[in-house]
Amino acid sequence: MATEKRGSGGGMSEQRRARLRLEISREAARLFWEQGVAATSGDQIAEAVGLSTRTIWRHFRSKESCAEPVVMQGVVTLLSVLRSWPRQSSIEDHLATELIRLRHEKPPVDLADEMLAMKMIRLADTEPALRTAWLMACDQTEREMCVIVGSRLGLSAGDLDVRVHAAAAAAVVRLLDEHIGAALLTGADLTEFNDVAAVSRRYAHAIRTATGGFVGDPVA
């Protein structure tokens, strides 16, 4: 059962607040997937996580927004890999090296959270409120891509060309995540997705193509 723990100043620490929000989000996502969004109430989410309904509303503006922390988990791994992209490496080499390494080590996001994120992204096809949560995660991806692309091009994150290339790269991440998630959850042939190197090349090629080749090469 979750309990709220106050910090020394009488308020909840940001780290504790983030953990609690993710815990609530996991239970909400499971309920949304199992019984549908419309059939899930704030009271049910609160009961599942062991909190009062009032506490749920202190952390989230609506029941649908409870999905947002879990949905964001769907982009954490790729963003963490791109943040560590060495200037001397191509996007193909870096993604392949890091994604293969993470397959054998502890990844930034647990597999269970990755699967819940995929389920919410899939459910977002028919649930507009969940679509909003997914698009908010995509917006965060785009903002982070501005920093990554700007760094590689030697420009500020707010530069128009940087923003255009970042938007293109973020769109690639959104579309491929939706495509892979749909395949995993509908029982499609997963052969192409079991080869991590091939999947990394697919992301890299799509990002390079979408940005007209401006993002992908090593930089001095």
Side-chain angles (χ1 to χ4, degrees):
M1 178 180 293
T3 57
E4 291 190 77
K5 183 178 180 181
R6 301 292 175 180
S8 58
M12 181 178 291
S13 70
E14 284 302 311
Q15 186 178 36
R16 170 59 184 159
R17 183 174 182 272
R19 286 200 302 266
L20 182 58
R21 279 174 53 83
L22 182 56
E23 189 176 346
I24 293 169
S25 190
R26 287 170 178 145
E27 295 302 330
R30 291 188 185 103
L31 288 169
F32 290 160
W33 184 254
E34 291 169 4
Q35 61 189 36
V37 176
T40 300
S41 67
D43 290 339
Q44 288 177 314
I45 296 171
E47 182 179 358
V49 78
L51 294 169
S52 68
T53 305
R54 183 179 178 181
T55 298
I56 299 297
W57 302 141
R58 280 207 297 267
H59 291 278
F60 293 96
R61 64 189 179 277
S62 66
K63 69 177 183 181
E64 292 86 358
S65 69
C66 290
E68 289 172 7
V70 152
V71 169
M72 191 63 201
Q73 298 298 291
V75 296
V76 165
T77 298
L78 185 60
L79 285 177
S80 69
V81 167
L82 288 173
R83 284 191 211 104
S84 67
W85 183 7
R87 297 176 66 81
Q88 69 272 18
S89 296
S90 69
I91 192 170
E92 290 83 3
D93 289 345
H94 180 62
L95 286 185
T97 298
E98 288 302 296
L99 293 179
I100 289 173
R101 178 181 66 80
L102 288 175
R103 188 162 192 173
H104 301 288
E105 298 179 10
K106 182 175 175 56
V109 174
D110 290 340
L111 179 59
D113 282 346
E114 289 270 15
M115 290 304 298
L116 275 177
M118 288 181 187
K119 287 177 178 178
M120 292 302 97
I121 294 167
R122 179 65 174 168
L123 200 56
D125 285 343
T126 55
E127 294 285 351
L130 293 187
R131 188 69 180 173
T132 299
W134 172 223
L135 293 178
M136 286 181 67
C138 294
D139 180 70
Q140 181 62 32
T141 300
E142 185 175 325
R143 291 172 185 272
E144 298 226 20
M145 286 300 303
C146 282
V147 176
I148 294 164
V149 172
S151 174
R152 296 193 74 79
L153 298 183
L155 299 169
S156 74
D159 180 87
L160 180 58
D161 285 339
V162 168
R163 292 176 62 193
V164 168
H165 296 320
V172 164
V173 174
R174 175 178 65 81
L175 291 169
L176 286 179
D177 279 1
E178 290 175 353
H179 174 68
I180 293 172
L184 288 171
L185 297 172
T186 56
D189 183 2
L190 301 181
T191 302
E192 65 173 310
F193 305 121
N194 288 329
D195 185 341
V196 178
V199 171
S200 68
R201 285 195 299 272
R202 188 167 191 175
Y203 273 93
H205 175 73
I207 289 173
R208 184 185 286 276
T209 302
T211 60
F214 281 94
V215 179
D217 288 335
V219 294

